[in-house]
């Protein structure tokens, strides 16, 4: 039996996990309890972990095989880890993840989940917010539910492609590849996806990468997507994390959206990020 204590942080999403030292080899029963907690709460917060890169990768692998992401520059010596960094001298720059999104939903196989390990964080600001898309789906107004049920949505790597990429030189908290025509390729995913572990249905559209609903022109789709995004990010479906150095946060990318709050100009912030896939896990 694992020694974990699970403390939900809101009524709908997120749990703080106590009693785990993930810098040490993890007992299979603890790993199983962590996975179950992640599927239940969608986002897990573990304080005082202070993981190095090797430890972070080992913890990531408890949830699924590590996934290398295109379009972002990884650490020079490790292609599976991204440094999310903003320096005190970076003023008025966009931050990576500074709008509601599910990580890389425009890929044919979007990541199953992501981890962030905090190395250096501002004294105030730089929080991250997540929103529960199972709760969002379950509470959709009837007309919106009818609009998305059984329908696909089109995703495009907008910030990275040619068609939609922001003009001019962009500075961001991580180095992104822009202007890649491959990122303009349209990928189709169900607008409502069943979670492969639990079967629970979650809304799967986001304002960064979803361009339109399948079978509709963008102009026809836009007012529906706007209402979906507004509903999907209601405060009662969300939780907000105030970072401390040493924190480890794990989230399910299939059932959540997240948002990096950029309110810490003048402070240094560094987190390491990994991503895991569900391609080699059996699908329900
Ligand atoms: Fe993200």
């Amino acid at each position: 039996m694992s020694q974990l204590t699970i403390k939900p942080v809101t009524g709908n999403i997120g749990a703080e996990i106590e009693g785990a030292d993930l810098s040490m080899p993890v007992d299979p029963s603890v790993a199983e309890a962590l996975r179950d907690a992640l599927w239940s709460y969608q986002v897990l917060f573990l304080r005082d972990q202070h993981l190095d890169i090797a430890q972070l990768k080992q913890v990531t692998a408890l949830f699924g095989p590590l996934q290398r992401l295109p379009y972002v520059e990884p650490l020079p010596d490790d292609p599976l880890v991204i440094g999310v960094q903003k320096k005190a001298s970076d003023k008025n720059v966009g931050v990576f993840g500074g709008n509601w999104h599910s990580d890389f939903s425009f890929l044919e196989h979007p990541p199953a989940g992501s981890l962030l390990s905090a190395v250096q964080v501002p004294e105030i600001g730089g929080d991250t917010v997540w929103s529960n898309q199972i709760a969002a789906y379950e509470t959709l107004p009837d007309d919106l539910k009818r609009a998305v049920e059984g329908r696909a949505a089109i995703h495009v790597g907008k910030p990275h492609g040619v068609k939609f990429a922001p003009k001019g030189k962009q500075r961001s908290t991580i180095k992104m590849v822009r202007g890649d025509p491959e990122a303009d390729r349209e990928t189709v995913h169900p607008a409502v996806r069943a979670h492969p572990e639990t079967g629970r249905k979650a809304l799967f559209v986001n304002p960064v990468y979803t361009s339109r609903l399948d079978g509709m022109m963008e102009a026809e789709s836009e007012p529906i997507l706007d209402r979906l995004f507004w509903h999907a990010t209601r405060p009662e479906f969300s939780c907000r994390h105030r970072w401390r150095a040493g924190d480890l946060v794990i989230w399910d990318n299939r059932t959540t959206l997240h948002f990096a709050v950029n309110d810490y100009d003048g402070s240094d912030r560094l987190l390491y990020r990994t991503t895991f896939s569900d391609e080699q896990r059996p699908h329900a």
Side-chain angles (χ1 to χ4, degrees):
M1 288 293 290
S2 80
Q3 310 289 310
L4 300 184
T5 303
I6 299 173
K7 295 183 173 172
V9 298
T10 73
N12 272 323
I13 179 171
E16 190 156 337
I17 304 292
E18 295 176 354
D21 177 0
L22 300 184
S23 67
M24 306 292 286
V26 175
D27 185 87
S29 69
V30 173
E32 193 62 39
L34 286 170
R35 286 192 290 269
D36 286 346
L38 184 60
W39 313 151
S40 295
Y41 294 96
Q42 282 98 51
V43 191
L44 305 181
F45 305 100
L46 295 98
R47 299 284 193 187
D48 303 315
Q49 299 297 315
H50 298 279
L51 303 183
D52 64 24
I53 298 291
Q55 291 163 338
L56 174 62
K57 288 169 68 177
Q58 277 168 10
V59 174
T60 306
L62 300 176
F63 297 89
L66 277 87
Q67 181 172 359
R68 180 173 179 176
L69 296 173
Y71 306 113
V72 294
E73 195 171 289
L75 295 185
D77 53 355
D78 200 321
L80 294 170
V81 183
I82 295 166
V84 180
Q85 184 167 33
K86 182 174 164 183
K87 296 193 173 126
S89 56
D90 295 336
K91 301 268 175 73
N92 295 315
V93 300
V95 292
F96 187 62
N99 199 354
W100 286 104
H101 65 285
S102 166
D103 285 335
F104 289 82
S105 67
F106 63 95
L107 297 180
E108 193 179 345
H109 298 289
S114 304
L115 291 82
L116 275 175
S117 174
V119 179
Q120 187 178 20
V121 295
E123 199 169 325
I124 296 170
D127 295 357
T128 306
V129 191
W130 287 264
S131 181
N132 178 347
Q133 298 306 287
I134 296 173
Y137 166 73
E138 290 176 349
T139 56
L140 278 176
D142 286 345
D143 65 321
L144 281 181
K145 210 173 226 179
R146 279 195 300 275
V148 293
E149 197 74 69
R151 188 182 287 274
I154 310 299
H155 296 245
V156 177
K158 283 184 265 189
H160 315 287
V162 176
K163 224 163 44 169
F164 302 96
K167 301 283 179 277
K169 198 167 161 53
Q170 289 277 314
R171 287 198 302 154
S172 174
T173 42
I174 69 167
K175 288 203 179 70
M176 283 194 274
V177 175
R178 295 192 188 278
D180 184 339
E182 178 67 8
D184 289 333
R185 196 162 55 90
E186 293 190 329
T187 308
V188 181
H189 296 300
V192 179
R193 286 168 88 200
H195 191 278
E197 304 287 343
T198 65
R200 296 188 73 187
K201 287 182 175 179
L203 191 59
F204 193 70
V205 292
N206 69 82
V208 173
Y209 297 122
T210 307
S211 58
R212 62 186 169 86
L213 293 169
D214 193 26
M216 291 184 190
M217 305 293 282
E218 278 180 31
E220 184 186 5
S221 172
E222 190 177 302
I224 302 171
L225 283 178
D226 283 348
R227 284 183 62 207
L228 287 169
F229 298 152
W230 184 85
H231 178 84
T233 57
R234 289 173 65 99
E236 63 265 40
F237 307 141
S238 77
C239 65
R240 178 169 180 142
H241 186 62
R242 187 168 184 182
W243 291 95
R244 294 200 306 238
D247 285 355
L248 176 71
V249 175
I250 308 161
W251 70 91
D252 192 320
N253 199 48
R254 300 162 295 196
T255 57
T256 60
L257 300 180
H258 59 281
F259 186 113
V261 180
N262 183 14
D263 61 350
Y264 56 101
D265 272 6
S267 297
D268 290 304
R269 184 175 185 268
L270 173 64
L271 303 94
Y272 288 120
R273 213 193 83 176
T274 51
T275 302
F276 62 91
S277 160
D278 56 10
E279 281 185 78
Q280 289 166 37
R281 290 181 70 84
H283 287 240

